[in-house]
Structure formats: structure tokens, C-alpha cells
Amino acid sequence: MKKKLNIKMENIKQGDSSYCWVNIELGSARVGKVRIKKIYSRLIIKNINIFSEFEKRGYARQTIELFKETAREIIADRVRDTAKGFWEKMGFFDAGDGNYRWVHKAR
């Protein structure tokens, strides 16, 4: 049975104006961390870090997919040139202000 990623978001306060780090875990292993701000159904991602020993296994992609399950909108804050391709593959578009954005489409 394949282990599922878990994002520990219990300590995030709704509407808090500050970013906080949350762990990305696979079973009992911490594979990375993500710095986010959650404002109701909007999630702003400042950084996503997968630890080097866990890179190239799709954990960043899986993390974003988990966020898409609960968010109505996700903003990747001030995306570096080297990361633009990742965000575009994840279905985000250039918002024209240095950020990339994804919006849930009603089915």
C-alpha cells in the first residue's frame, strides 16, 4: 500500500496575516515544508521546500494537489523564473504581478 502525504495545517489560524511553516510528511518521515498563509478558502504559498533526499519523487506536485482539494484559490507568491514551469504544469497562470494563480473551477 502506497503511503499518502500529510500536511500538518492544524496550527494555522484563519485570516492570520502572517505566514507559517507547515510540515509535509510521508508516514513518519518529514519530506519537506511549505510556508503558507490561509485566508478562508484562499491559500497563499510563499515557499515550498522538499528536502534534498526526497527530491524528484513528485512530493511538491502531490502537496499542491492536496491543497487544491480544499482551496478555492491558490496564489504562488512571487514566483522565481526557475519555478514558473512547475506552476504552469500545476495549472496556475501568470497573474501579471509576479505571482501565479489557480482558481477552482466549478464542475
Side-chain angles (χ1 to χ4, degrees), residues 17-51:
S17 64
S18 60
Y19 286 93
C20 58
W21 286 103
V22 293
N23 292 329
I24 304 168
E25 299 176 351
L26 183 66
S28 62
R30 193 169 140 219
V31 300
K33 60 186 178 176
V34 60
R35 191 170 178 215
I36 60 174
K37 182 188 323 184
K38 186 169 172 71
I39 304 171
Y40 305 103
S41 61
R42 174 188 285 176
L43 186 69
I44 303 170
I45 301 172
K46 184 73 170 172
N47 304 85
I48 184 166
N49 299 61
I50 302 300
F51 302 137

Side-chain angles (χ1 to χ4, degrees), residues 48-63:
I48 184 166
N49 299 61
I50 302 300
F51 302 137
S52 59
E53 62 269 30
F54 296 103
E55 288 180 342
K56 307 289 185 212
R57 298 185 194 178
Y59 296 140
R61 180 187 52 76
Q62 289 177 52
T63 299

Side-chain angles (χ1 to χ4, degrees), residues 71-87:
R72 290 264 182 224
E73 178 183 16
I74 302 173
I75 297 171
D77 189 26
R78 291 180 235 159
V79 173
R80 295 185 318 260
D81 285 339
T82 57
K84 289 179 180 179
F86 169 78
W87 293 106

